[in-house]
Amino acid sequence: MSYVTLCQVSCSLPVLRWFFFLHLFYRLCRFLFSLVFCEDFSDDALCCINIFGRTEVIDNTLNPDFVRKYILDYFFEEKQNLRFDLSFSSFSFLHRGIPGKKCGTIILSAEELSNCRDSATMQFCANKLDKKDFFGKSDPFMVFYRSNEDGTFTICHKTEVVKNTLNPVWQPFTIPVRALCNGDYDRTIKVEVYDWDRDGSHDFIGDFTTSYRELARGQSQFNVYEVINTKKKMKKKKYVNSGTVTLLSFSVESEFTFLDYIKGGTQINFTVAIDFTASNGNPSQSTSLHYMNPYQLNAYAMALKAVGEIIQDYDSDKMFPALGFGAKLPPDGRVSHEFPLNGNLENPYCNGIEGILEAYHESLKTVQLYGPTNFAPVVNHVARYAAAVQDGSQYFVLLIITDGVISDMAQTKEAIVNAAKLPMSIIIVGVGQAEFDAMVELDGDDIRVSSRGKLAERDIVQFVPFRDYMDRTGNHVLSMARLAKDVLAEIPDQFISYMKTRGVKPNPAPPPYTPPGHTHHHTQI
């Protein structure tokens, strides 16, 4: 697998949010296609690239049409460079690219995104589709296309393949209304029906058109569609159709955003857990990761401050539990992997981020750095609180800052799998120069965390090594901003995934605050 940079474009489109559709025309032999969509944060692209998204992989085609879409915020005051890397697997030498030679074309389409936040769930069946397979019947699937403002069509959904039948019943599927019609209920939706073939040369059965407004009528005589193959119709005088497709069910549900829940009163509870193992080095020596330089923050303090100062604004009382792990505690020297930084077992809360930093500094004076590096106790600690509040009123975020390789991987995996059922997310920041390869296993972006054969219900872990965000000029403010942006980016989606799977809806937002004695004056227009 390799990457070939095909094009780099500067995006300066005069809208707030844009929807991207990717099409690719490429002249190669058989291979697997995928695209990587990046944002370049500066002209020094090699050092400042943020991968925005990856398309699905499409097998065995010269002209892949990618289904996955991307939403990108547009900022008038910024130059937004976009870069597209093509990844493919092939026996051809062309996968390394040919300098100076055009290797294909990416077609990029964009249009302003509507504010429609509804999602439609629908189910279809078909009856008496054309038989396309010599042995057997057909293996039908449907492809949905939305019409664009320029009259072209863009793929927005594919159903699963139903094997060996002319009367398939497809599974229900859910799609955002904006992806289906961009909020324009009368915009044409084209549906093509195919017979699936293993080699990718799927046989066209026929198509029909509809609209969101028609589909919204639900199951009725208006939503029984004739599948028409135009070429076949022109050749055969007695041609009627190539089968029919019927809408079995249709429902609409509003998609709530992260801010809907925040406005409705949901609190974000922030907890920090700091690594006090001996591998950090003697705190009194300047080589230690815990060394308190009077002129600048150490890596632990920077990571805590970067994440905490953003997330604290979502907690009304700004009282945060702060824990340590991997240290010997006074007076008896027992090893603890779950001790309060303020020394108060009954009340481990600190007042704001500054209160956590103060407790952290005081702990370094009283505890002895030891080991090993166990995460499970602090994960289970926060999980106990999260388990007690699952009504959507609170969501818990645990920040673990560590310098080393985890010692209790099996126990931590089990704790994460259990925590994935709860209103909880985990951020792990690795500080120092240790190898954190094993830690990536906990970040379920590519492979979901599992324990004892059970997969985590959600991806709730984000791991990053802090060194990847350090500014080369020594600008710690920039380093902290980069770190916070990346590690917090997944929290809203993880939050929404929990609320959605539990069917938790946000409370209505309270009315705007009006000071006593003040009345609103409305101007008649």
Side-chain angles (χ1 to χ4, degrees), residues 44-65:
D44 187 5
L46 291 177
C47 296
C48 300
I49 289 180
N50 177 45
I51 295 179
F52 190 85
R54 298 176 187 267
T55 67
E56 71 277 14
V57 175
I58 298 182
D59 185 14
N60 194 34
T61 177
L62 301 180
N63 303 305
D65 199 354

Side-chain angles (χ1 to χ4, degrees), residues 42 85 99 145 168 184 217 274 375 469 504:
S42 74
D85 288 354
Y145 297 85
D184 179 356
R217 293 185 178 189
I274 295 177
F375 286 0
Y469 299 87
V504 178

Side-chain angles (χ1 to χ4, degrees), residues 166-217:
L166 302 181
N167 304 299
V169 178
W170 289 283
Q171 292 293 320
F173 65 89
T174 301
I175 184 171
V177 172
R178 62 172 178 258
L180 196 61
C181 64
N182 201 22
D184 179 356
Y185 292 177
D186 295 309
R187 184 181 291 206
T188 300
I189 298 168
K190 182 171 70 172
V191 184
E192 294 179 341
V193 185
Y194 288 91
D195 167 45
W196 177 85
D197 286 329
R198 186 181 299 277
D199 63 2
S201 59
H202 311 306
D203 299 318
F204 179 69
I205 295 176
D207 62 19
F208 63 90
T209 60
T210 184
S211 68
Y212 177 84
R213 193 177 300 280
E214 289 293 323
L215 293 172
R217 293 185 178 189

Side-chain angles (χ1 to χ4, degrees), residues 332-348:
D332 56 359
R334 65 181 178 86
V335 178
S336 175
H337 297 287
E338 183 191 349
F339 64 89
L341 296 187
N342 64 5
N344 189 338
L345 288 171
E346 301 300 321
N347 184 14

Side-chain angles (χ1 to χ4, degrees), residues 57 155 157 434 490:
V57 175
I155 187 171
H157 180 73
E490 293 186 9

Side-chain angles (χ1 to χ4, degrees), residues 253-269 386 389-397 419-425 457-458 460 491-507:
E253 188 174 277
S254 291
E255 284 194 340
F256 299 108
T257 67
F258 175 71
L259 288 179
D260 287 333
Y261 289 91
I262 298 302
K263 288 188 291 185
T266 298
Q267 297 284 301
I268 304 297
N269 293 308
V389 190
Q390 300 187 52
D391 59 358
S393 63
Q394 298 184 52
Y395 193 84
F396 296 77
V397 176
K421 304 173 186 176
L422 304 172
M424 178 175 169
S425 291
E457 188 176 299
R458 301 181 295 129
I460 64 168
I491 297 296
D493 285 342
Q494 293 173 359
F495 176 100
I496 290 296
S497 73
Y498 173 81
M499 299 299 180
K500 195 169 183 178
T501 57
R502 295 299 183 275
V504 178
K505 296 182 178 180
N507 293 322

